[in-house]
Amino acid sequence: MAAKVPRNFRLLEELEKGEKGLGAEACSYGLADGDDLLMSNWNGTILGPPHSAHENRIYSVNLHCGPEYPDIPPTVQFTSKVNLPCVDRNGKVDLAKLPSLQLWKRDFTMETILLELRKFMSLPQHKKLPQPTEGSTYGIIN
């Protein structure tokens, strides 16, 4: 049986990868507040996929890793307005509507979520959906 990496070690690994830009070029992420000792609140950015209504757009998201992360997925909320079936009217993401994230695995990371959201944007049934005015944002409700 493999050893279970503690939450803070896991988040430190993700922070290092995000800060050093070692992940995918299509997304980025980091702590929302460098003084957040629990490493709970994160900001993410997704570059809109090419050949879609999202092309040349930059989407911002907030991710919150609760005390049970990575056993339980973080909550994800767009701050940039976006029209996708997995995003409610307040910008909250329903991860269960993302096919590859329906069954959350401990190995998934915040980068996994950001990349899956980007992939979801580029699906044939979503890539031409009309989008809100570029630069518009949600009034964030926690």
Side-chain angles (χ1 to χ4, degrees), residues 14-15 17-31 42-48 58-63 110-115 117-118:
E14 292 194 51
L15 178 61
K17 186 175 180 182
E19 283 184 340
K20 290 185 177 179
L22 301 175
E25 293 179 12
C27 67
S28 63
Y29 53 95
L31 279 173
W42 296 68
N43 293 325
T45 302
I46 302 168
L47 300 179
I58 299 172
Y59 294 98
S60 298
V61 297
N62 292 333
L63 301 104
M110 287 180 273
E111 181 182 43
T112 306
I113 293 169
L114 296 174
L115 290 173
L117 282 166
R118 186 172 192 264

Side-chain angles (χ1 to χ4, degrees), residues 2-123:
K4 189 173 172 180
V5 176
R7 175 187 185 276
N8 285 355
F9 288 1
R10 166 66 176 275
L11 288 170
L12 283 170
E13 286 175 10
E14 292 194 51
L15 178 61
E16 182 177 10
K17 186 175 180 182
E19 283 184 340
K20 290 185 177 179
L22 301 175
E25 293 179 12
C27 67
S28 63
Y29 53 95
L31 279 173
D33 178 2
D35 294 332
D36 180 2
L37 298 178
L38 297 177
M39 295 182 282
S40 296
N41 298 306
W42 296 68
N43 293 325
T45 302
I46 302 168
L47 300 179
H51 313 296
S52 73
H54 308 281
E55 186 169 29
N56 297 322
R57 289 188 177 214
I58 299 172
Y59 294 98
S60 298
V61 297
N62 292 333
L63 301 104
H64 176 77
C65 298
E68 301 298 319
Y69 180 83
D71 294 315
I72 295 175
T75 57
V76 182
Q77 184 170 10
F78 275 87
T79 55
S80 305
K81 281 196 174 181
V82 64
N83 178 20
L84 286 173
C86 65
V87 180
D88 74 12
R89 61 184 181 84
N90 296 314
K92 293 192 186 242
V93 177
D94 182 352
L95 295 178
K97 291 184 178 177
L98 296 169
S100 59
L101 297 178
Q102 286 177 342
L103 298 174
W104 179 259
K105 295 181 182 143
R106 190 173 213 284
D107 294 341
F108 292 164
T109 64
M110 287 180 273
E111 181 182 43
T112 306
I113 293 169
L114 296 174
L115 290 173
E116 288 303 316
L117 282 166
R118 186 172 192 264
K119 187 188 303 181
F120 196 70
M121 290 176 183
S122 66
L123 291 175

